[in-house]
């Protein structure tokens, strides 16, 4: 595979990109010079670009295409709903069957005691909703000063003003005078990058203790909630040490604050359980959802709300918040069909018992590579840390852009594997087969070899 453009349509589409399209998270000058890769079709775990190249999608789109591409059941669900009721809002004491049925279906798979769903168009909107609802909850309880939300450095909670503020990405905060007031951050549980001389177990406790330290610093009477991803996705598939979540649960039990799990990436089977909170045994008060809810076929997100929170806001009058597309009937119909596929095909069970253990076993074979400092993963999530020195965990100078070099080789070799700094991450569709896992790992090794030749001297 090469970057050479031979299809005239590719040039035409790239010209449209230069002249009209503003892409997310892009250096527009760089994008205009190189031109975007034009994806034209997909099936199963594969994509094809306009030049005819076949690509194994190791990122399930953006963590979201759980049941794979080309599922006619989802297409048919959307088409049937469009014919029946293509749109109506859920404002003004009005509802429609798809949104109500999907809310019930989500409650059936959510952790016990989480029976209420507020629908949004994305995970970012879900976290905006969370911020509004958490503060409304405390105001309803007569504690309006409890407004501060504690998050984590390098966490990701979306790209809206509130979502980007909740997230801990410094490069995002530098644009737009973020974070907004009332949001503070604590260290992330990233042992490989920040654990220093501590063992993973020691570091997990230390990182969790930073939550209590921040609660005491801000004042319990001012803290509304703690938000965290069960596994930090966009931050580099940061899997906390085993000591982290048990200690977090102890701290949360001591203080009168809400716990919000951002399940946008971990939800709907990514860990082999319905939610990352199930995997770790956590009991959140609210959970943000999106991505795997519809397998990305139609945009949809939401906030799952516990009975505890609902009982308070239910008595608090109007919740003055919502979106035109909250509970969109077509998205809800696709979400229902998607959940049926996950259940009827026992996809979670297959991930948990067969394919995820196989993926994790094969991925860890890459740990012997001279460029690899650590391989980690859970379920259908994986990270390959590129390091200059395995023993000391020393990284390459950032200006070398080793991760981007590796990502370039992946593109050229027919594999989508994302670079977060010098961490290569994967999150393939949940339906990936063992043969396709073999292909993914073999291509990843080839790309590591090509990268090593360029950077190891």
């Amino acid at each position: 595979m090469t970057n050479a453009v031979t299809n005239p349509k590719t040039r035409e589409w790239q010209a449209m990109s230069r002249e009209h399209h503003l892409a997310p998270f892009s250096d527009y000058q760089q994008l205009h010079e190189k031109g975007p890769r034009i994806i034209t079709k997909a099936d199963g775990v594969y994509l094809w670009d306009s030049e005819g190249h076949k690509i194994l999608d190791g990122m399930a789109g953006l963590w979201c295409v759980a049941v794979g591409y080309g599922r006619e059941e989802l297409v048919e669900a959307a088409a049937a709903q469009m014919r029946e009721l293509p749109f109506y809002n859920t404002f003004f004491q009005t509802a429609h069957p798809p949104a109500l049925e999907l809310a019930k279906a989500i409650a059936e798979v959510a952790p016990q005691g989480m029976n209420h769903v507020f629908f949004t168009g994305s995970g970012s909107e879900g976290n905006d909703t969370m911020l509004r609802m958490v503060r409304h909850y405390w105001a309803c309880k007569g504690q309006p000063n409890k407004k501060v939300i504690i998050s984590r450095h390098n966490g990701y909670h979306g790209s809206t003003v509130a979502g980007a503020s909740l997230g801990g990405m410094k490069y995002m905060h530098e644009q737009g005078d973020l974070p907004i007031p009332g949001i503070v951050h604590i260290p992330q549980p990233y042992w490989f990058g920040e654990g220093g001389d501590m063992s993973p177990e020691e570091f997990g406790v230390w990182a969790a203790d930073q939550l209590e330290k921040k609660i005491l610093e801000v004042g319990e009477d001012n803290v509304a909630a703690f938000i965290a991803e069960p596994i930090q996705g966009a931050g580099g598939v940061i899997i906390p040490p085993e000591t982290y979540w048990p200690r977090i649960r102890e701290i949360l039990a001591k203080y009168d604050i809400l716990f919000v799990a951002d399940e946008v990436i971990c939800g709907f089977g990514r860990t082999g359980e319905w939610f990352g909170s199930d995997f770790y045994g956590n009991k959140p008060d609210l959970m943000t959802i999106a991505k795997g809810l519809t397998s990305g076929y139609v945009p949809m997100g939401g906030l799952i709300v516990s009975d505890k929170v609902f009982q308070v806001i239910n008595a608090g009058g109007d919740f003055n918040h919502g979106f035109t597309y909250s509970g969109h009937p077509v998205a809800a119909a696709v979400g229902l069909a998607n959940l049926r596929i996950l259940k009827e095909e026992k996809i979670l069970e297959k991930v948990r018992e067969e394919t995820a253990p196989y993926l994790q076993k094969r991925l860890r074979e890459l740990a012997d590579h001279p460029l690899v400092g650590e391989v980690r993963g859970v379920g259908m999530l994986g990270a390959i840390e590129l390091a200059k020195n395995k023993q000391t965990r020393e990284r390459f100078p950032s200006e070398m852009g080793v991760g981007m070099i590796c990502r370039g080789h992946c593109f050229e070799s027919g594999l989508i594997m994302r670079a977060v700094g010098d961490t290569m991450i994967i999150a393939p569709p949940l339906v990936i087969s063992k043969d396709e896992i073999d292909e993914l790992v073999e291509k990843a090794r080839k790309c590591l070899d090509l990268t090593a030749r360029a950077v190891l001297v």
Side-chain angles (χ1 to χ4, degrees):
M1 184 182 297
T2 68
N3 282 324
V5 174
T6 60
N7 182 354
K9 286 295 292 183
T10 303
R11 294 192 185 92
E12 184 180 337
W13 285 317
Q14 289 179 337
M16 292 178 190
S17 171
R18 284 191 297 274
E19 293 163 13
H20 304 293
H21 183 234
L22 298 177
F25 285 89
S26 295
D27 179 324
Y28 295 126
Q29 185 174 354
Q30 183 185 70
L31 181 62
H32 291 174
E33 289 172 358
K34 190 173 182 180
R37 167 172 283 181
I38 309 298
I39 302 300
T40 55
K41 66 176 184 176
D43 186 60
V45 302
Y46 294 100
L47 307 165
W48 282 263
D49 68 16
S50 55
E51 295 297 303
H53 301 133
K54 183 180 180 182
I55 309 152
L56 197 163
D57 185 4
M59 282 303 303
L62 270 178
W63 322 82
C64 51
V65 188
V67 300
Y69 297 98
R71 297 302 300 247
E72 284 299 318
E73 304 96 314
L74 302 189
V75 176
E76 290 165 6
Q81 187 58 50
M82 283 185 174
R83 294 187 188 100
E84 181 78 17
L85 178 70
F87 172 74
Y88 200 71
N89 66 75
T90 54
F91 289 55
F92 317 124
Q93 295 191 350
T94 304
H96 45 69
L100 303 178
E101 291 170 11
L102 181 58
K104 179 175 184 284
I106 291 170
E108 287 171 353
V109 299
Q112 187 175 6
M114 303 199 74
N115 292 299
H116 312 273
V117 185
F118 189 106
F119 287 113
T120 67
S122 67
S124 294
E125 288 180 7
N127 279 322
D128 280 41
T129 301
M130 178 279 299
L131 187 149
R132 297 279 314 275
M133 189 177 290
V134 161
R135 290 177 175 173
H136 178 57
Y137 167 87
W138 288 113
C140 289
K141 284 176 69 73
Q143 296 174 270
N145 289 335
K146 287 176 77 69
K147 293 180 179 178
V148 176
I149 298 179
I150 300 173
S151 185
R152 300 188 298 195
H153 295 304
N154 204 36
Y156 187 82
H157 300 293
S159 193
T160 53
V161 170
S165 296
L166 289 163
M169 304 287 191
K170 289 183 180 178
Y171 68 94
M172 294 176 69
H173 291 171
E174 289 167 359
Q175 295 179 339
D177 197 22
L178 302 178
I180 57 176
I183 297 170
V184 297
H185 297 83
I186 61 173
Q188 60 180 330
Y190 180 23
W191 175 79
F192 186 88
E194 301 175 6
D197 294 331
M198 283 184 273
S199 69
E201 294 75 21
E202 292 168 335
F203 180 71
V205 172
W206 177 87
D209 282 344
Q210 303 313 298
L211 172 59
E212 184 167 39
K213 182 178 178 182
K214 185 62 72 173
I215 292 169
L216 295 174
E217 176 188 316
V218 174
E220 182 182 358
D221 291 344
N222 298 315
V223 178
F226 170 55
I227 183 172
E229 304 156 88
I231 294 168
Q232 287 163 247
V237 183
I238 307 301
I239 297 170
E242 292 183 1
T243 53
Y244 181 77
W245 281 118
R247 179 63 183 137
I248 289 286
R249 289 194 293 271
E250 289 177 6
I251 293 166
L252 290 170
K254 283 177 65 175
Y255 298 97
D256 189 20
I257 65 173
L258 298 173
F259 174 38
V260 183
D262 186 326
E263 293 274 3
V264 170
I265 285 173
C266 291
F268 303 102
R270 182 59 55 187
T271 65
E273 303 290 343
W274 277 105
F275 296 96
S277 296
D278 298 322
F279 182 85
Y280 284 110
N282 294 336
K283 301 195 180 303
D285 297 296
L286 304 101
M287 299 198 312
T288 320
I289 55 173
K291 296 191 185 290
L293 171 59
T294 64
S295 281
Y297 278 55
V298 184
M300 192 175 214
L303 184 68
I304 309 178
V305 179
S306 67
D307 298 343
K308 164 187 166 181
V309 171
F310 173 74
Q311 285 163 8
V312 172
I313 64 172
N314 185 49
D318 284 2
F319 179 46
N320 299 313
H321 175 78
F323 305 97
T324 300
Y325 301 119
S326 292
H328 192 288
V330 177
V334 172
L336 276 166
N338 183 63
L339 292 185
R340 279 197 296 272
I341 290 172
L342 289 171
K343 287 181 176 180
E344 290 173 4
E345 297 185 9
K346 299 188 182 302
I347 290 174
L348 273 67
E349 291 87 343
K350 187 173 182 182
V351 166
R352 184 169 60 246
E353 297 163 14
E354 298 178 32
T355 49
Y358 187 73
L359 172 66
Q360 298 303 331
K361 173 179 171 291
R362 289 299 326 270
L363 273 182
R364 281 162 177 74
E365 293 171 12
L366 298 173
D368 66 0
H369 194 279
L371 200 59
V372 175
E374 179 184 70
V375 178
R376 59 179 178 268
V378 164
M380 285 292 165
L381 288 162
I384 304 164
E385 293 276 8
L386 309 184
K388 187 175 181 180
N389 186 305
K390 285 174 176 283
Q391 283 69 41
T392 64
R393 310 199 299 278
E394 179 188 359
R395 313 308 287 267
F396 290 95
S398 59
E399 59 269 20
M400 288 182 66
V402 175
M404 293 301 289
I405 292 171
C406 187
R407 191 188 77 163
H409 287 303
C410 290
F411 269 34
E412 290 295 301
S413 302
L415 172 65
I416 291 179
M417 187 161 62
R418 183 171 169 182
V420 177
D422 288 348
T423 306
M424 307 306 298
I425 60 176
I426 61 158
L430 303 187
V431 294
I432 191 170
S433 69
K434 288 185 177 180
D435 286 345
E436 290 160 346
I437 289 169
D438 289 338
E439 179 186 347
L440 187 158
V441 174
E442 287 158 12
K443 285 184 173 178
R445 185 175 286 278
K446 172 189 173 184
C447 297
L448 291 170
D449 288 343
L450 292 168
T451 305
R453 288 176 202 162
V455 304
L456 292 179
V457 291

